[in-house]
């Protein structure tokens, strides 16, 4: 009976692990593909108006596609690589919103060996751009120190747009955090005067 119980427990554990892995893959696949099309449109515009800057944009897009398609297929990635992915993403948005939105973006870390689950922060950052209004400021601050990662995004938003838009992206993020960092994170969302998302995650290094 003991051996049967152990065998059954191992089967249940394996099924649960496979379910978790499938759910994580599904949640990662939900990252909005419209970002790719926006970036391609930006490159197209620059290829016509500022062709000397187009090669750098193509390289940035290539790096991000590589990160999403290959490097993010692991449980953890180096935090520096994830931040480079975000750097490229924000670079495109600075071009697309030039003269319309002010972007304040800062990053800092006390250790370049930190690891994090891939594509975890992009939902928060994409949400800030998606719901920010014209002639406004977007503040993005990512800091890693003493084995804690803090990501804070704040932007002015259209209240009607927020209410009429579903929160699939943030729900997706919460599910991934519960699966990967259960009891090891704090996620706070405040939408009083501005829309502010604050995420604190306990992280480790290699």
């Amino acid at each position: 009976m003991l051996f049967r119980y152990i065998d059954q427990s191992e089967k249940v554990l394996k099924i649960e692990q496979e379910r978790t892995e499938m759910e994580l893959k599904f949640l990662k696949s939900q990252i909005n593909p419209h970002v790719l099309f926006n970036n391609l449109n930006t490159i197209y515009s620059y290829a016509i108006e500022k062709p000397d800057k187009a090669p750098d944009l193509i390289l940035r897009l290539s790096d991000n596609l590589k990160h999403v398609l290959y490097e993010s297929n692991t449980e953890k990635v180096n935090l520096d690589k994830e931040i480079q992915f975000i750097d490229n993403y924000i670079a495109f948005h600075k071009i697309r919103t030039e003269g319309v939105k002010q972007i304040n973006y800062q990053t800092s870390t006390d250790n370049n060996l930190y690891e994090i689950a891939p594509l975890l922060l992009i939902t928060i950052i994409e949400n800030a751009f998606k719901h920010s209004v014209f002639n406004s400021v977007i503040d993005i601050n990512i800091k890693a120190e003493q084995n804690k990662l803090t990501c804070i995004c704040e932007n002015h938003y259209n209240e009607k747009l927020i209410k009429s838009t579903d929160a699939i992206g943030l729900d997706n993020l919460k599910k991934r955090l519960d699966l990967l960092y259960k009891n090891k994170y704090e996620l706070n969302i405040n939408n009083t005067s501005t829309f502010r998302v604050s995420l604190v995650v306990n992280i480790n290094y290699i």
Side-chain angles (χ1 to χ4, degrees):
M1 289 178 63
L2 176 60
F3 284 124
R4 282 202 300 271
Y5 173 77
I6 293 174
D7 184 56
Q8 186 67 23
S9 297
E10 289 178 348
K11 288 180 180 178
V12 171
L13 183 62
K14 184 177 180 181
I15 291 171
E16 180 65 21
Q17 184 178 3
E18 290 176 349
R19 184 196 67 80
T20 300
E21 290 176 354
M22 285 190 292
E23 185 168 356
L24 281 172
K25 288 180 180 178
F26 172 72
L27 292 171
K28 282 171 62 177
S29 71
Q30 286 185 316
I31 294 172
N32 206 324
H34 84 268
V35 174
L36 172 60
F37 294 111
N38 287 340
N39 290 348
L40 286 172
N41 287 334
T42 300
I43 292 174
Y44 176 75
S45 297
Y46 261 60
I48 296 173
E49 299 171 7
K50 301 176 182 179
D52 57 314
K53 294 186 178 182
D56 177 63
L57 293 179
I58 293 172
L59 183 61
R60 286 178 181 272
L61 180 58
S62 175
D63 286 343
N64 275 13
L65 287 174
K66 177 184 176 183
H67 186 73
V68 172
L69 295 174
Y70 302 110
E71 295 171 350
S72 67
N73 289 327
T74 58
E75 182 180 347
K76 299 284 181 66
V77 295
N78 183 272
L79 180 60
D80 283 351
K81 286 187 177 181
E82 194 70 14
I83 289 179
Q84 181 62 50
F85 170 75
I86 294 170
D87 288 347
N88 292 338
Y89 177 88
I90 291 177
F92 275 95
H93 270 283
K94 282 185 175 180
I95 293 170
R96 294 183 64 247
T97 60
E98 187 175 5
V100 178
K101 298 178 184 181
Q102 179 183 330
I103 302 170
N104 299 326
Y105 172 55
Q106 294 181 327
T107 63
S108 64
T109 179
D110 64 359
N111 191 325
N112 60 4
L113 297 179
Y114 283 129
E115 291 186 314
I116 188 174
L119 308 177
L120 197 66
L121 306 180
I122 192 62
T123 299
I124 299 174
I125 296 168
E126 184 182 82
N127 194 71
F129 284 106
K130 181 179 179 181
H131 297 299
S132 60
V133 295
F134 290 135
N135 300 316
S136 65
V137 178
I138 300 173
D139 291 313
I140 302 170
N141 193 305
I142 301 173
K143 178 173 66 175
E145 62 179 18
Q146 298 182 355
N147 288 42
K148 280 193 176 183
L149 173 71
T150 303
C151 176
I152 299 174
C153 287
E154 186 171 5
N155 61 280
H156 295 276
Y157 69 103
N158 185 322
E159 187 175 357
K160 293 181 180 178
L161 181 62
I162 291 290
K163 286 184 177 180
S164 63
T165 305
D166 57 31
I168 292 177
L170 291 177
D171 286 343
N172 184 331
L173 175 64
K174 291 175 185 176
K175 289 177 182 178
R176 287 196 69 200
L177 287 167
D178 284 336
L179 287 167
L180 297 168
Y181 294 98
K182 192 172 183 63
N183 301 323
K184 294 181 180 180
Y185 78 92
E186 292 181 13
L187 179 65
N188 295 302
I189 301 172
N190 187 299
N191 59 346
T192 50
S193 59
T194 60
F195 198 92
R196 187 177 189 272
V197 180
S198 172
L199 173 65
V200 180
V201 182
N202 293 341
I203 56 175
N204 297 313
Y205 54 88
I206 302 172

